[in-house]
Amino acid sequence: MPRSAFGFFKKWGEKFGLSFTFVDTTHPKNVLGALEKNTKLVWIETPTNPLLKVSDIKAISRLVQGKEILLVVDNTFATPYFQQPLKLGADLVVHSTTKYFGGHSDVIGGCAITNQKKMKEELNFYRKALGGNPSPFDCWLTQRGVKTLGLRMERHRENAKAVTQFLKKQPKVKKVYYPGFGGMVSAEFNFSLEKTKKMIGSFQIFTLAESLGGVESLVNHPASMTHGAIPKEEREKIGLTDGLIRLSVGLEDKDDLIADIDQALRKI
Ligand SMILES: *Cc1c(COP(=O)(O)O)cnc(C)c1O
Protein backbone atom coordinates (compact mmCIF):
# COMPACT_ATOMS: atom_id res chain seq x y z
CA MET A 1 0.00 0.00 0.00
CA PRO A 2 1.37 3.45 -0.82
CA ARG A 3 2.59 5.50 2.14
CA SER A 4 -0.08 8.07 1.28
CA ALA A 5 -2.91 5.53 1.75
CA PHE A 6 -1.32 4.12 4.92
CA GLY A 7 -0.91 7.63 6.35
CA PHE A 8 -4.44 8.60 5.37
CA PHE A 9 -5.94 5.61 7.17
CA LYS A 10 -3.79 6.02 10.28
CA LYS A 11 -3.71 9.79 10.68
CA TRP A 12 -7.05 10.85 9.26
CA GLY A 13 -9.19 7.76 9.79
CA GLU A 14 -8.22 7.24 13.41
CA LYS A 15 -9.07 10.85 14.17
CA PHE A 16 -12.66 9.97 13.27
CA GLY A 17 -12.72 6.92 15.51
CA LEU A 18 -12.08 4.38 12.76
CA SER A 19 -9.65 1.52 13.34
CA PHE A 20 -7.66 -0.43 10.78
CA THR A 21 -6.11 -3.87 10.51
CA PHE A 22 -3.33 -4.40 7.95
CA VAL A 23 -2.92 -7.90 6.49
CA ASP A 24 -1.32 -9.63 3.51
CA THR A 25 -4.33 -10.04 1.22
CA THR A 26 -2.60 -12.49 -1.12
CA HIS A 27 -4.01 -15.14 1.23
CA PRO A 28 -7.81 -14.60 1.41
CA LYS A 29 -7.84 -16.39 4.78
CA ASN A 30 -5.89 -13.45 6.24
CA VAL A 31 -8.74 -11.18 5.15
CA LEU A 32 -11.29 -13.54 6.67
CA GLY A 33 -9.31 -13.61 9.91
CA ALA A 34 -9.24 -9.81 10.06
CA LEU A 35 -12.99 -9.31 9.54
CA GLU A 36 -14.83 -8.14 12.64
CA LYS A 37 -18.53 -7.69 13.41
CA ASN A 38 -18.32 -3.99 12.69
CA THR A 39 -16.03 -4.13 9.63
CA LYS A 40 -17.26 -1.69 7.00
CA LEU A 41 -14.65 -1.82 4.29
CA VAL A 42 -11.93 -4.03 2.84
CA TRP A 43 -9.25 -2.20 0.85
CA ILE A 44 -6.85 -4.18 -1.32
CA GLU A 45 -4.06 -3.28 -3.70
CA THR A 46 -3.23 -5.81 -6.40
CA PRO A 47 -0.61 -6.24 -7.78
CA THR A 48 1.25 -4.72 -4.83
CA ASN A 49 4.11 -2.29 -4.81
CA PRO A 50 6.97 -3.23 -5.13
CA LEU A 51 6.84 -7.07 -4.96
CA LEU A 52 3.91 -7.29 -7.41
CA LYS A 53 1.99 -9.80 -5.33
CA VAL A 54 -1.45 -10.63 -6.67
CA SER A 55 -4.63 -11.02 -4.61
CA ASP A 56 -7.70 -12.99 -5.65
CA ILE A 57 -10.35 -10.26 -5.93
CA LYS A 58 -13.19 -12.71 -6.60
CA ALA A 59 -12.35 -14.85 -3.58
CA ILE A 60 -12.13 -11.79 -1.33
CA SER A 61 -15.40 -10.41 -2.72
CA ARG A 62 -17.08 -13.70 -1.77
CA LEU A 63 -15.86 -13.29 1.81
CA VAL A 64 -17.57 -9.93 2.19
CA GLN A 65 -20.70 -10.71 0.17
CA GLY A 66 -23.99 -10.09 1.98
CA LYS A 67 -22.15 -8.55 4.92
CA GLU A 68 -22.56 -4.83 4.13
CA ILE A 69 -18.82 -4.56 3.74
CA LEU A 70 -17.52 -2.56 0.81
CA LEU A 71 -14.67 -3.95 -1.25
CA VAL A 72 -12.30 -1.33 -2.66
CA VAL A 73 -9.49 -2.22 -5.07
CA ASP A 74 -6.49 -0.05 -5.91
CA ASN A 75 -6.07 -1.06 -9.55
CA THR A 76 -3.26 1.38 -10.41
CA PHE A 77 -0.65 -1.21 -11.40
CA ALA A 78 -2.91 -3.45 -13.51
CA THR A 79 -5.10 -0.76 -15.16
CA PRO A 80 -8.54 -1.71 -16.58
CA TYR A 81 -6.71 -3.12 -19.60
CA PHE A 82 -5.54 -6.13 -17.56
CA GLN A 83 -7.92 -6.27 -14.62
CA GLN A 84 -11.49 -5.06 -14.10
CA PRO A 85 -12.29 -5.41 -10.38
CA LEU A 86 -15.97 -4.37 -10.68
CA LYS A 87 -16.53 -7.50 -12.77
CA LEU A 88 -14.86 -9.56 -10.05
CA GLY A 89 -17.14 -8.29 -7.30
CA ALA A 90 -15.51 -5.05 -6.11
CA ASP A 91 -17.75 -2.11 -5.16
CA LEU A 92 -15.25 0.62 -5.87
CA VAL A 93 -12.03 0.85 -7.87
CA VAL A 94 -9.41 3.54 -7.35
CA HIS A 95 -6.55 4.54 -9.62
CA SER A 96 -3.69 6.93 -9.41
CA THR A 97 -4.23 8.50 -12.83
CA THR A 98 -0.74 9.98 -12.41
CA LYS A 99 0.54 6.61 -13.60
CA TYR A 100 -0.72 4.61 -16.62
CA PHE A 101 -3.91 6.61 -17.27
CA GLY A 102 -1.98 9.83 -17.86
CA GLY A 103 0.95 7.77 -19.05
CA HIS A 104 3.34 10.60 -19.80
CA SER A 105 4.52 11.68 -16.34
CA ASP A 106 3.05 15.15 -16.81
CA VAL A 107 -0.13 15.15 -14.74
CA ILE A 108 -1.14 14.22 -11.18
CA GLY A 109 -4.57 12.85 -10.36
CA GLY A 110 -6.73 10.03 -9.16
CA CYS A 111 -10.13 8.54 -9.85
CA ALA A 112 -12.76 6.40 -8.15
CA ILE A 113 -14.99 4.15 -10.26
CA THR A 114 -18.20 2.41 -9.21
CA ASN A 115 -21.21 0.81 -10.88
CA GLN A 116 -23.49 1.68 -7.96
CA LYS A 117 -25.70 4.73 -8.43
CA LYS A 118 -25.99 5.60 -4.74
CA MET A 119 -22.26 5.48 -4.20
CA LYS A 120 -21.64 7.62 -7.27
CA GLU A 121 -24.04 10.26 -5.95
CA GLU A 122 -22.37 10.19 -2.55
CA LEU A 123 -18.89 10.46 -4.07
CA ASN A 124 -20.06 13.35 -6.23
CA PHE A 125 -21.37 15.11 -3.15
CA TYR A 126 -18.02 14.77 -1.33
CA ARG A 127 -16.10 15.73 -4.45
CA LYS A 128 -18.07 18.96 -4.69
CA ALA A 129 -18.15 19.69 -0.95
CA LEU A 130 -14.49 18.91 -0.26
CA GLY A 131 -13.10 20.28 -3.52
CA GLY A 132 -10.72 17.51 -4.54
CA ASN A 133 -11.18 18.18 -8.24
CA PRO A 134 -8.63 18.31 -11.03
CA SER A 135 -8.23 21.38 -13.22
CA PRO A 136 -9.64 21.37 -16.79
CA PHE A 137 -6.11 21.14 -18.20
CA ASP A 138 -5.27 18.15 -15.98
CA CYS A 139 -8.50 16.45 -17.15
CA TRP A 140 -7.55 17.13 -20.75
CA LEU A 141 -4.08 15.63 -20.30
CA THR A 142 -5.52 12.57 -18.56
CA GLN A 143 -8.17 12.02 -21.23
CA ARG A 144 -5.56 12.35 -23.94
CA GLY A 145 -3.51 9.70 -22.16
CA VAL A 146 -6.44 7.31 -21.83
CA LYS A 147 -6.94 7.28 -25.61
CA THR A 148 -3.71 5.27 -26.03
CA LEU A 149 -3.98 3.24 -22.81
CA GLY A 150 -4.62 -0.07 -24.60
CA LEU A 151 -1.78 0.40 -27.06
CA ARG A 152 0.62 1.45 -24.37
CA MET A 153 -0.29 -1.40 -22.03
CA GLU A 154 0.34 -3.95 -24.79
CA ARG A 155 3.81 -2.50 -25.38
CA HIS A 156 4.52 -2.17 -21.63
CA ARG A 157 3.70 -5.87 -21.27
CA GLU A 158 5.80 -6.91 -24.26
CA ASN A 159 8.81 -4.93 -23.02
CA ALA A 160 8.37 -6.03 -19.40
CA LYS A 161 8.25 -9.68 -20.48
CA ALA A 162 11.47 -9.28 -22.47
CA VAL A 163 13.19 -7.57 -19.52
CA THR A 164 11.94 -10.31 -17.17
CA GLN A 165 13.31 -13.04 -19.43
CA PHE A 166 16.67 -11.30 -19.64
CA LEU A 167 16.89 -10.76 -15.88
CA LYS A 168 16.03 -14.39 -15.13
CA LYS A 169 19.12 -15.49 -17.06
CA GLN A 170 21.52 -13.26 -15.12
CA PRO A 171 23.65 -15.05 -12.51
CA LYS A 172 23.75 -11.91 -10.36
CA VAL A 173 19.96 -11.91 -10.06
CA LYS A 174 18.51 -13.79 -7.11
CA LYS A 175 14.81 -13.37 -7.87
CA VAL A 176 12.60 -11.71 -10.48
CA TYR A 177 9.09 -10.58 -9.69
CA TYR A 178 6.68 -10.27 -12.63
CA PRO A 179 2.97 -11.12 -12.38
CA GLY A 180 2.69 -11.95 -16.09
CA PHE A 181 0.94 -8.73 -17.12
CA GLY A 182 1.59 -5.02 -16.97
CA GLY A 183 4.80 -3.03 -17.16
CA MET A 184 6.23 -3.34 -13.65
CA VAL A 185 9.11 -5.72 -12.93
CA SER A 186 11.05 -6.05 -9.68
CA ALA A 187 14.35 -7.86 -9.29
CA GLU A 188 16.50 -8.81 -6.36
CA PHE A 189 20.24 -8.78 -6.99
CA ASN A 190 22.96 -10.49 -4.96
CA PHE A 191 24.36 -7.02 -4.29
CA SER A 192 25.11 -4.92 -1.25
CA LEU A 193 23.44 -1.52 -0.86
CA GLU A 194 26.54 0.12 -2.33
CA LYS A 195 26.71 -2.12 -5.39
CA THR A 196 22.98 -1.81 -6.02
CA LYS A 197 23.27 1.97 -5.91
CA LYS A 198 26.22 1.83 -8.30
CA MET A 199 24.23 -0.29 -10.75
CA ILE A 200 21.16 1.92 -10.82
CA GLY A 201 23.41 4.96 -11.10
CA SER A 202 24.92 3.41 -14.24
CA PHE A 203 21.67 3.11 -16.19
CA GLN A 204 21.49 5.38 -19.22
CA ILE A 205 17.87 4.81 -20.28
CA PHE A 206 16.19 3.87 -16.99
CA THR A 207 15.88 7.11 -15.00
CA LEU A 208 16.12 6.97 -11.22
CA ALA A 209 12.71 8.19 -9.98
CA GLU A 210 9.86 7.20 -7.69
CA SER A 211 6.92 7.35 -10.08
CA LEU A 212 5.82 4.75 -12.64
CA GLY A 213 3.55 4.07 -15.58
CA GLY A 214 4.94 6.64 -18.03
CA VAL A 215 6.30 6.18 -21.54
CA GLU A 216 9.89 6.47 -20.23
CA SER A 217 11.47 3.65 -18.25
CA LEU A 218 12.17 4.37 -14.59
CA VAL A 219 14.08 2.57 -11.87
CA ASN A 220 13.27 2.79 -8.19
CA HIS A 221 15.33 1.53 -5.27
CA PRO A 222 12.83 0.78 -2.46
CA ALA A 223 15.52 0.46 0.27
CA SER A 224 16.76 4.03 -0.22
CA MET A 225 13.71 5.67 -1.81
CA THR A 226 10.03 4.69 -1.52
CA HIS A 227 10.50 2.43 1.53
CA GLY A 228 13.59 4.08 3.03
CA ALA A 229 11.69 5.16 6.14
CA ILE A 230 11.10 1.54 7.21
CA PRO A 231 13.92 0.19 9.47
CA LYS A 232 16.22 -2.25 7.60
CA GLU A 233 15.25 -5.25 9.72
CA GLU A 234 11.52 -4.77 9.19
CA ARG A 235 12.04 -4.01 5.53
CA GLU A 236 13.96 -7.22 4.93
CA LYS A 237 11.32 -9.28 6.73
CA ILE A 238 8.84 -8.34 4.00
CA GLY A 239 11.32 -8.99 1.19
CA LEU A 240 12.52 -5.44 0.58
CA THR A 241 16.24 -6.14 0.66
CA ASP A 242 19.06 -3.70 -0.21
CA GLY A 243 19.52 -5.45 -3.56
CA LEU A 244 15.91 -5.05 -4.69
CA ILE A 245 15.08 -2.70 -7.54
CA ARG A 246 11.73 -1.91 -9.15
CA LEU A 247 11.53 -1.17 -12.86
CA SER A 248 8.73 0.70 -14.55
CA VAL A 249 9.37 -0.61 -18.04
CA GLY A 250 8.52 2.07 -20.61
CA LEU A 251 7.83 2.06 -24.31
CA GLU A 252 11.39 2.31 -25.65
CA ASP A 253 12.82 -0.39 -27.91
CA LYS A 254 13.14 -3.53 -25.79
CA ASP A 255 16.61 -4.35 -27.10
CA ASP A 256 17.81 -0.91 -25.97
CA LEU A 257 16.34 -1.51 -22.51
CA ILE A 258 18.03 -4.89 -22.20
CA ALA A 259 21.33 -3.48 -23.45
CA ASP A 260 21.05 -0.74 -20.80
CA ILE A 261 20.61 -3.25 -17.97
CA ASP A 262 23.39 -5.39 -19.43
CA GLN A 263 25.92 -2.54 -19.54
CA ALA A 264 25.01 -1.44 -16.00
CA LEU A 265 25.50 -5.01 -14.73
CA ARG A 266 28.90 -5.24 -16.41
CA LYS A 267 30.07 -2.24 -14.38
CA ILE A 268 29.57 -4.10 -11.08
C1 LIG B 1 1.23 6.24 -6.94
C2 LIG B 1 0.22 5.37 -6.35
C3 LIG B 1 -0.81 5.89 -5.55
C4 LIG B 1 -0.87 7.36 -5.18
O1 LIG B 1 -1.13 8.13 -6.28
P1 LIG B 1 -0.63 9.64 -6.47
O2 LIG B 1 -1.10 9.98 -7.82
O3 LIG B 1 0.87 9.63 -6.33
O4 LIG B 1 -1.28 10.41 -5.38
C5 LIG B 1 -1.76 5.02 -5.05
N1 LIG B 1 -1.71 3.69 -5.31
C6 LIG B 1 -0.75 3.15 -6.07
C7 LIG B 1 -0.75 1.68 -6.29
C8 LIG B 1 0.25 3.96 -6.62
O5 LIG B 1 1.21 3.42 -7.37
Side-chain angles (χ1 to χ4, degrees), residues 64-243:
V64 301
Q65 235 165 34
K67 286 198 179 124
E68 292 194 30
I69 299 173
L70 293 178
L71 176 60
V72 184
V73 179
D74 184 334
N75 199 36
T76 300
F77 274 37
T79 80
Y81 188 75
F82 292 117
Q83 174 170 273
Q84 301 183 341
L86 294 181
K87 287 189 183 156
L88 302 170
D91 297 290
L92 189 71
V93 183
V94 295
H95 284 272
S96 164
T97 55
T98 310
K99 316 291 170 53
Y100 288 109
F101 275 46
H104 297 73
S105 312
D106 53 10
V107 60
I108 284 172
C111 67
I113 304 157
T114 180
N115 49 9
Q116 298 168 25
K117 192 162 175 269
K118 193 167 161 271
M119 200 183 325
K120 179 177 186 286
E121 280 165 7
E122 230 169 291
L123 283 171
N124 265 341
F125 168 77
Y126 286 112
R127 194 168 56 78
K128 283 182 195 163
L130 299 173
N133 299 300
S135 72
F137 183 59
D138 286 356
C139 293
W140 182 79
L141 279 173
T142 307
Q143 280 190 319
R144 199 186 53 168
V146 166
K147 285 174 188 168
T148 55
L149 182 68
L151 284 172
R152 285 187 284 111
M153 292 321 292
E154 272 301 330
R155 178 67 175 256
H156 280 301
R157 167 166 62 182
E158 191 187 320
N159 284 359
K161 270 189 175 171
V163 165
T164 299
Q165 279 162 7
F166 172 79
L167 285 170
K168 280 188 172 164
K169 282 186 267 172
Q170 303 311 308
K172 289 164 185 164
V173 173
K174 211 158 139 192
K175 197 161 179 197
V176 184
Y177 300 87
Y178 183 61
F181 60 90
M184 301 301 295
V185 180
S186 291
E188 190 186 350
F189 290 82
N190 278 318
F191 289 160
S192 61
L193 185 68
E194 229 168 64
K195 278 190 176 172
T196 311
K197 281 188 167 172
K198 185 169 180 214
M199 172 182 62
I200 54 184
S202 306
F203 285 138
Q204 284 167 4
I205 297 177
F206 286 89
T207 303
L208 191 61
E210 283 200 5
S211 196
L212 62 105
V215 294
E216 319 83 355
S217 290
L218 302 178
V219 55
N220 171 279
H221 183 226
S224 67
M225 297 163 71
T226 38
H227 299 74
I230 310 174
K232 185 178 158 87
E233 217 172 78
E234 257 182 72
R235 211 174 357 95
E236 302 214 323
K237 253 191 246 163
I238 51 172
L240 309 184
T241 56
D242 288 345

Side-chain angles (χ1 to χ4, degrees), residues 49-64:
N49 179 21
L51 295 181
L52 308 166
K53 291 205 242 170
V54 175
S55 294
D56 185 340
I57 299 172
K58 207 176 222 174
I60 295 171
S61 88
R62 283 199 197 107
L63 296 179
V64 301

